[in-house]
Amino acid sequence: MFGRTKTKAWRNLESLQHKYNINMRELFAKDDKRAERYTIQLENMLVDYSKNLINDQILDGLLALAKERGLADKIKEMYSGAKINQTENRAVLHIALRNKENKPIYVDGHDVMPKIATTLEKIKDFSEAVRLGTFTGYTGKKLTNIVNIGIGGSDLGPFMATQALKPYWAKDINCYFISNIDGTSCAEVLNHIDPETTLFIVASKTFTTIETLTNAHTCRKWLVDALGEHAVAKHFVALSTNKAEVEKFGINPDNMFEFWDFVGGRYSMWSAIGLIIAIAVGYKNFERMLEGAYAMDKHFYEADFAHNIPVILALIGIWYINFHDVHRYAVVPYDQYLQYLPSYLQQLDMESNGKSISLDNKYVDYSTAPVVFGGAGTNVQHSFFQLLHQGTDIVPVDFIIPAISHNEIGAHQEILIANVLAQAEALMNGKTEEEAVAEMEKCGNSKAEIARMKKNKSFTGNRPSNMIIVRKLDPYSLGMLVAMYEHRTFVQGVIWNINSFDQFGVELGKKLALNILPELQGTAVQVEHDSSTASLIRYIKGIRK
Ligand code: F6P
């Protein structure tokens, strides 16, 4: 069994944490090769991880931990189709969805590649037909409003990716996303579209998720009220692993794009779940996204761990979480098109690794996934960055920026780049009290004013960040970026000896909601609740009478 006190590499890292009081500013001053040594470049992506609380000994220690945890074998297991999602007895093969060399991958003795190719072909044909207007709505009009109805992995990936690739959208196509059970989510979309030109994509791996099915039924009724029952076949398609439920809903299985239980919900935007991406940006661009992910998959599989982007990023994350007690992690893309990446990563990281039971079926005695948050820079510089710079807690940050913008207007991009670099530099360097005093003296501040303000104007610095630069945010680099985070998540799961691919934690609340619903609707006698829940139900029912 794996426990923090039981392993050599873990204990070594604890002693390294005590031994080295890393001061990045000093280390940079002493070593002008630090940035060069701690940078990895893969094609058009550069990852500079030099502004972290690490040195060579610590990196070696982290790499030894990866070795001790059998990471190399675990990666091979995943890529070979082994059932590493052991609680659900499933293989984990999002890598097969972008396996561009088309090498066979076997699950239960069957190569999964042919069926993946068939679905991709179907996505290609259908997305092209919609874009060309050869597949039309019931009344013959071109389908220009594409509405994805899904939640969690059936929403966040396609939503994030379509927004990230907005410059590639066909000019006459608009994408909408209905996810929340809150009626507002439906109403706000339906109020703005025309049924004759609308295609609904019902995206649900299980096809049993209450939010998605409720929203899909509402949209179906809206469409049938406007165009009649016969219109459904021309305006509804389903993306699912569950043919029986799709048929039960009333969608013809011919209009179903299949995927399989070896594709986890939060790892599914490369599968049929990506249909809306293909319609919006065109199949060629969708394929470029898969190619970018494949490049990262290959790198992850082949590069030695010391030069392996997802492995290094994962290990640095482990260093903070498990050896510095830092349980927060911010992702800040400096690109408006990537503004939804942090929400996507919240599910990827927190649903995958927010676990406390090990693969040996024991409670772990160490921390797992941190709280992930973020937002687009520079906006968030004016919201939560104060805490990053001067708060009491360290928050490691991933900065992401494309060197070239899709909208090179005046000096905007240079100002944006200057900001992201300045933030990372400021977090690392900080400003000593002496420096703050010197600055204030230069500005002619009085001695009393300087004494009053010098602490407020100084920064501890030594706050870690990674800088991830892509040439331009295109489908290929987006694919690389997302696959990089998927593998980073996997590596951390391996280190923590947990199953990153199940999500039993979301079940309990869902079940209790089903108990409360009939009470709210007055169709069931009151179930036993704690006094708080019981009185809240009474209070809300009182208002809604
Ligand atoms: O939130 C739990 C969850 O099961 C996620 O893992 C999943 O992405 C989401 O619900 C949606 O599930 P489905 O695609 O089956 O509707």
Side-chain angles (χ1 to χ4, degrees):
M1 111 149 211
F2 174 64
R4 71 194 298 178
T5 52
K6 303 236 167 13
T7 93
K8 201 172 142 207
W10 195 286
R11 283 200 308 272
N12 176 46
L13 283 162
E14 278 173 343
S15 70
L16 290 174
Q17 203 275 324
H18 291 124
K19 183 169 171 190
Y20 294 110
N21 194 5
I22 296 285
N23 182 316
M24 288 190 271
R25 198 171 166 169
E26 279 174 22
L27 292 180
F28 270 106
K30 272 197 251 162
D31 173 8
D32 59 3
K33 294 266 185 289
R34 183 177 167 89
E36 196 181 303
R37 279 189 299 120
Y38 295 164
T39 293
I40 307 174
Q41 195 168 353
L42 176 65
E43 300 183 20
N44 285 326
M45 175 188 273
L46 178 138
V47 178
D48 175 349
Y49 60 94
S50 62
K51 293 191 190 77
N52 278 293
L53 300 171
I54 53 167
N55 60 18
D56 289 351
Q57 290 74 12
I58 291 165
L59 268 179
D60 287 348
L62 288 164
L63 290 164
L65 178 65
K67 192 164 178 213
E68 189 184 74
R69 299 297 314 125
L71 179 61
D73 289 340
K74 298 280 182 182
I75 296 173
K76 280 191 195 122
E77 275 182 45
M78 176 167 78
Y79 276 59
S80 68
K83 296 197 174 173
I84 59 170
N85 175 356
Q86 60 180 46
T87 49
E88 297 179 311
N89 194 30
R90 290 175 184 170
V92 174
L93 281 177
H94 40 282
I95 57 112
L97 303 168
R98 60 244 185 170
N99 172 12
K100 286 287 136 197
E101 268 166 47
N102 218 13
K103 280 194 207 130
I105 302 178
Y106 295 95
V107 175
D108 294 327
H110 299 286
D111 181 9
V112 299
M113 292 315 297
K115 55 186 177 188
I116 290 174
T118 306
T119 296
L120 283 177
E121 202 54 38
K122 195 166 169 180
I123 293 174
K124 178 175 186 280
D125 292 346
F126 186 73
S127 59
E128 279 170 2
V130 171
R131 285 166 66 90
L132 288 170
T134 50
F135 182 97
T136 63
Y138 184 61
T139 58
K141 288 198 178 159
K142 190 171 179 190
L143 296 165
T144 52
N145 298 313
I146 316 297
V147 183
N148 191 83
I149 307 171
I151 197 164
S154 301
D155 166 69
L156 291 163
F159 179 54
M160 177 275 293
T162 47
Q163 304 310 307
L165 300 178
K166 216 160 188 177
Y168 299 85
W169 285 22
K171 293 281 165 286
D172 58 348
I173 281 179
N174 270 315
C175 297
Y176 302 87
F177 290 82
I178 298 177
S179 54
N180 203 334
I181 190 64
D182 183 340
T184 303
S185 190
C186 253
E188 278 302 321
V189 172
L190 298 182
N191 286 343
H192 294 102
I193 53 177
D194 170 2
E196 287 184 86
T197 55
T198 297
L199 174 71
F200 291 102
I201 300 176
V202 188
S204 175
K205 179 174 169 181
T206 55
F207 230 78
T208 56
T209 306
I210 189 165
E211 291 94 334
T212 301
L213 290 185
T214 308
N215 282 327
H217 277 293
T218 300
C219 293
R220 193 181 193 283
K221 182 173 181 309
W222 175 85
L223 183 99
V224 169
D225 285 350
L227 303 177
E229 190 68 34
H230 293 298
V232 173
K234 295 293 263 173
H235 293 266
F236 270 84
V237 297
L239 322 173
S240 188
T241 58
N242 192 342
K243 215 177 204 168
E245 287 298 323
V246 169
E247 268 188 278
K248 218 159 105 190
F249 178 86
I251 294 179
N252 184 332
D254 289 346
N255 284 353
M256 170 175 160
F257 295 74
E258 201 187 0
F259 63 114
W260 312 272
D261 69 7
F262 56 76
V263 180
R266 51 196 174 273
Y267 299 85
S268 65
M269 62 178 241
W270 327 94
S271 70
I273 291 293
L275 180 65
I276 192 166
I277 311 171
I279 295 176
V281 304
Y283 187 77
K284 269 208 179 100
N285 282 321
F286 181 71
E287 207 166 35
R288 282 297 286 161
M289 188 180 82
L290 302 187
E291 283 163 10
Y294 175 66
M296 185 56 72
D297 294 344
K298 214 166 142 57
H299 165 79
F300 178 53
Y301 193 79
E302 289 173 357
D304 74 279
F305 290 165
H307 303 98
N308 192 312
I309 296 172
V311 173
I312 291 291
L313 292 181
L315 292 176
I316 289 173
I318 295 278
W319 180 234
Y320 297 125
I321 296 162
N322 297 113
F323 301 95
H324 288 77
D325 251 333
V326 168
H327 306 291
R328 304 152 290 274
Y329 164 46
V331 179
V332 184
Y334 276 65
D335 187 307
Q336 193 66 27
Y337 291 124
L338 277 179
Q339 63 179 309
Y340 300 108
L341 183 69
S343 328
Y344 167 80
L345 292 178
Q346 277 178 334
Q347 189 200 14
L348 179 66
D349 202 338
M350 294 164 84
E351 194 167 88
S352 295
N353 287 340
K355 312 277 166 70
S356 27
I357 312 295
S358 74
L359 289 168
D360 316 304
N361 208 17
K362 304 243 166 30
Y363 284 100
V364 298
D365 61 356
Y366 42 85
S367 295
T368 59
V371 172
V372 182
F373 69 104
T378 58
N379 289 3
V380 293
Q381 287 179 204
H382 302 273
S383 60
F384 62 74
F385 266 46
Q386 166 62 35
L387 182 147
L388 303 193
H389 286 288
Q390 288 188 316
T392 48
D393 297 313
I394 288 182
V395 184
V397 188
D398 278 2
F399 291 108
I400 302 165
I401 184 151
I404 301 169
S405 169
H406 284 283
N407 301 296
E408 290 282 344
I409 306 167
H412 283 251
Q413 189 64 6
E414 272 121 30
I415 298 173
L416 188 71
I417 295 170
N419 268 278
V420 73
L421 297 177
Q423 288 301 322
E425 194 173 34
L427 285 168
M428 189 270 288
N429 267 336
K431 192 191 284 177
T432 62
E433 266 187 44
E434 293 73 50
E435 287 167 337
V437 169
E439 240 179 55
M440 285 187 282
E441 280 173 352
K442 224 171 157 187
C443 294
N445 286 288
S446 69
K447 278 212 159 73
E449 182 66 0
I450 291 172
R452 195 172 70 84
M453 291 305 294
K454 65 181 181 188
K455 283 200 166 51
N456 290 293
K457 295 217 167 178
S458 66
F459 295 69
T460 56
N462 215 26
R463 299 192 172 210
S465 67
N466 294 305
M467 184 66 65
I468 299 162
I469 303 177
V470 293
R471 187 184 164 274
K472 193 170 183 176
L473 182 62
D474 56 23
Y476 190 89
S477 59
L478 179 71
M480 284 179 88
L481 200 58
V482 176
M484 175 190 88
Y485 278 112
E486 286 179 343
H487 296 319
R488 178 191 182 278
T489 303
F490 171 67
V491 173
Q492 294 194 334
V494 170
I495 301 291
W496 290 322
N497 196 33
I498 54 176
N499 180 0
S500 303
F501 303 104
D502 59 14
Q503 55 283 319
F504 295 107
V506 296
E507 293 303 323
L508 179 62
K510 280 195 207 169
K511 282 215 177 96
L512 294 183
L514 290 179
N515 281 346
I516 294 172
L517 178 63
E519 291 179 57
L520 285 176
Q521 293 173 327
T523 55
V525 276
Q526 200 172 324
V527 184
E528 277 240 335
H529 294 290
D530 60 88
S531 62
S532 161
T533 310
S535 71
L536 291 170
I537 292 173
R538 271 196 308 277
Y539 179 72
I540 290 173
K541 277 179 87 168
I543 293 174
R544 289 178 57 83
K545 243 188 222 153

